[in-house]
Amino acid sequence: MSIEYKRNFEDRLNMLHDVVRYKHTDRVPHFSNFFTWKILDSDLKPKLSEALADYGMLDRIQCEFQERYGFDVHYDLLARNLLKPSSILGGHHHLINDEAESINFFDHTLMEDNEYPDYKDKRWEVTWRMFIRKYPELTQGTMAEAIALNAENAAYNPWMFKKFREEYGCPQCYGFISQVPYERFHKYYRGIKAGSMDLRRRKNELLDTFAALQEEEVIPGTKAGLANDTSLCMIDLMIPMLAHTMMNGKQWETFYWPYLKEILDTALAAGKTVMIYLENSLIRFKDYFENYPKGFLTVVPELDPVTDLREALPNITIVGGITSDLLGQGTPEECVAEAKRVIEAMGDGFMLGQNKMMSFRNDCKRENLLAVSEFVQNFRWE
């Protein structure tokens, strides 16, 4: 790492840590919540299917994006949709549509209705059954090829973390991920429809399974992650929240909050920081988060306006403030005016970012993002 980039990295990391800890900083960090939009914005002009099948191209596109816009930290380094191993195995739960410039993931059910008890007691056996259901065309040859591709897949993220740290002075966003037990069923095993019905029809089976997962995997895994050195990351622990969107208040209290609270309390006791990457809204559950101390919890909201969330939860650091509607449909002047307004309204404990995973061409115009990036990089508190 050159002296210049080492200084940039240390300055950025200190600034990001201070904002997370709700301390005053000279300027406001710019947080990238951009995903496949980066591919669509690239001067390489690849098709989505071409880019997502070429790790070298993804590397070049991510670097091009950073050189153009100069973000302080990236939630994703084009690693979220590494689909090559799944495609080789014959998975049909996603569709890359080059004409529509989109990636679609289909709701699906891999775990059968009666398999919760088996999953609780014979986890690897049920996991293998689900694997065969997901890849019914599996052969010995495709399995060997997928294993080799998965090794490339696994090497991509560490390579990009190191490259962005050493060449661009950008810290890694978070150290590791932990999530409540229900998320894996909602997103991966049972799907949205079946998983939501399970909340009503299979309460006892879910609670027995969740208790086993929390005790055997979630909390031990969280403690192990918290014991690692994450000092070069902006945040120690990231918790994605999606499945809560399908829950009413009683279901939240039964199936989600007790497990989330144990993860949060474990991190707090270890003196670590947590980021919640949020789909939908948090404000309706604000009472559960209001007693955590400033400097512990950072939230990246989707639907909650950041000023409303600040009023509801003045104890948390917030990331966001610029919507895809504005970036995609507004003018550079309108985008800069909104960036200025929200920065001044939010004050400390705030990073400017986008309100969603920026994935579609109409989510943003290049000229708008260039204008906002220039403004944020030059903004200083008077």
Side-chain angles (χ1 to χ4, degrees):
M1 183 186 296
S2 70
I3 294 176
E4 178 185 359
Y5 281 122
K6 186 174 187 296
R7 185 182 305 115
N8 287 345
F9 176 81
E10 291 174 349
D11 288 347
R12 271 193 173 125
L13 184 63
N14 289 335
M15 174 185 64
L16 292 167
H17 281 169
D18 283 347
V19 172
V20 166
R21 294 293 188 184
Y22 223 114
K23 297 179 181 178
H24 182 70
T25 55
D26 291 336
R27 69 178 185 89
V28 175
H30 201 189
F31 179 100
S32 169
N33 200 7
F34 282 85
F35 285 74
T36 46
W37 185 87
K38 290 179 279 196
I39 298 173
L40 304 175
D41 180 59
S42 173
D43 288 342
L44 296 176
K45 301 188 183 304
K47 294 180 180 179
L48 278 181
S49 58
E50 294 171 343
L52 293 170
D54 187 333
Y55 298 118
M57 185 179 292
L58 290 173
D59 182 333
R60 293 194 298 276
I61 290 170
Q62 179 63 51
C63 292
E64 175 192 358
F65 180 78
Q66 175 61 20
E67 290 165 9
R68 180 174 293 125
Y69 301 110
F71 281 93
D72 294 299
V73 64
H74 300 260
Y75 182 78
D76 172 68
L77 293 175
L78 280 176
R80 177 174 176 263
N81 292 317
L82 300 181
L83 302 174
K84 287 172 69 175
S86 182
S87 297
I88 290 294
L89 290 171
H92 303 296
H93 296 141
H94 70 269
L95 173 66
I96 302 173
N97 188 326
D98 286 324
E99 184 176 348
E101 298 181 325
S102 65
I103 307 171
N104 299 310
F105 291 87
F106 306 120
D107 191 36
H108 58 277
T109 301
L110 295 176
M111 196 175 93
E112 295 182 354
D113 292 353
N114 61 353
E115 286 187 309
Y116 277 105
D118 275 357
Y119 189 81
K120 170 180 172 288
D121 297 323
K122 296 179 286 187
R123 209 157 300 149
W124 286 109
E125 180 180 324
V126 178
T127 299
W128 178 248
R129 289 182 216 156
M130 290 190 286
F131 187 81
I132 296 301
R133 291 167 191 154
K134 184 171 184 178
Y135 304 113
E137 303 165 14
L138 181 69
T139 67
Q140 188 173 4
T142 56
M143 185 70 169
E145 187 176 357
I147 290 172
L149 286 171
N150 201 54
E152 294 180 25
N153 191 334
Y156 178 83
N157 248 346
W159 163 259
M160 292 301 290
F161 291 148
K162 183 174 186 291
K163 185 172 189 175
F164 265 65
R165 181 172 66 248
E166 295 183 353
E167 296 186 21
Y168 296 102
C170 290
Q172 188 173 325
C173 184
Y174 56 86
F176 73 104
I177 295 174
S178 184
Q179 56 185 347
V180 305
Y182 182 60
E183 289 285 353
R184 71 176 70 180
F185 298 96
H186 177 85
K187 288 186 285 194
Y188 308 121
Y189 300 161
R190 295 288 288 155
I192 297 172
K193 181 179 179 180
S196 299
M197 292 173 65
D198 291 341
L199 298 175
R200 300 188 299 274
R201 297 180 178 181
R202 302 181 181 279
K203 176 180 178 181
N204 291 335
E205 292 178 25
L206 264 64
L207 292 178
D208 287 346
T209 303
F210 292 178
L213 287 173
Q214 189 82 348
E215 180 182 354
E216 298 166 13
E217 293 185 17
V218 176
I219 296 304
T222 299
K223 289 180 177 178
L226 293 171
N228 292 331
D229 182 8
T230 51
S231 59
L232 297 183
C233 303
M234 180 184 82
I235 291 280
D236 300 307
L237 165 63
M238 193 276 286
I239 302 174
M241 284 181 57
L242 172 62
H244 71 289
T245 60
M246 308 302 293
M247 293 181 173
N248 59 36
K250 185 175 181 180
Q251 290 170 335
W252 159 268
E253 288 187 344
T254 302
F255 297 107
Y256 209 102
W257 173 243
Y259 309 99
L260 177 59
K261 184 177 188 301
E262 188 175 8
I263 297 172
L264 292 174
D265 291 350
T266 300
L268 182 61
K272 301 292 186 174
T273 56
V274 174
M275 179 172 73
I276 292 179
Y277 190 87
L278 186 71
E279 299 281 344
N280 205 273
S281 172
L282 191 69
I283 285 181
R284 68 186 178 115
F285 298 123
K286 66 182 180 63
D287 293 348
Y288 298 88
F289 299 92
E290 62 186 7
N291 292 323
Y292 286 102
K294 276 187 177 181
F296 167 63
L297 192 58
T298 296
V299 173
V300 185
E302 181 186 25
L303 297 185
D304 297 325
V306 293
T307 49
D308 292 354
L309 189 57
R310 170 56 50 84
E311 183 178 355
L313 289 168
N315 55 313
I316 65 172
T317 296
I318 299 172
V319 179
I322 298 292
T323 67
S324 61
D325 287 344
L326 183 60
L327 285 170
Q329 300 174 27
T331 65
E333 293 76 18
E334 289 170 336
C335 292
V336 168
E338 178 63 8
K340 183 176 188 296
R341 183 195 71 79
V342 74
I343 286 173
E344 292 178 347
M346 295 295 288
D348 294 337
F350 176 69
M351 301 182 203
L352 191 74
Q354 307 77 45
N355 71 318
K356 56 167 280 188
M357 294 179 173
M358 305 292 279
S359 302
F360 304 105
R361 185 175 295 278
N362 290 336
D363 283 343
C364 186
K365 297 176 185 174
R366 178 184 288 190
E367 60 267 27
N368 288 346
L369 186 55
L370 283 170
V372 171
S373 297
E374 181 181 9
F375 171 76
V376 177
Q377 289 163 13
N378 292 305
F379 178 87
R380 296 295 184 274
W381 292 108
E382 296 179 358

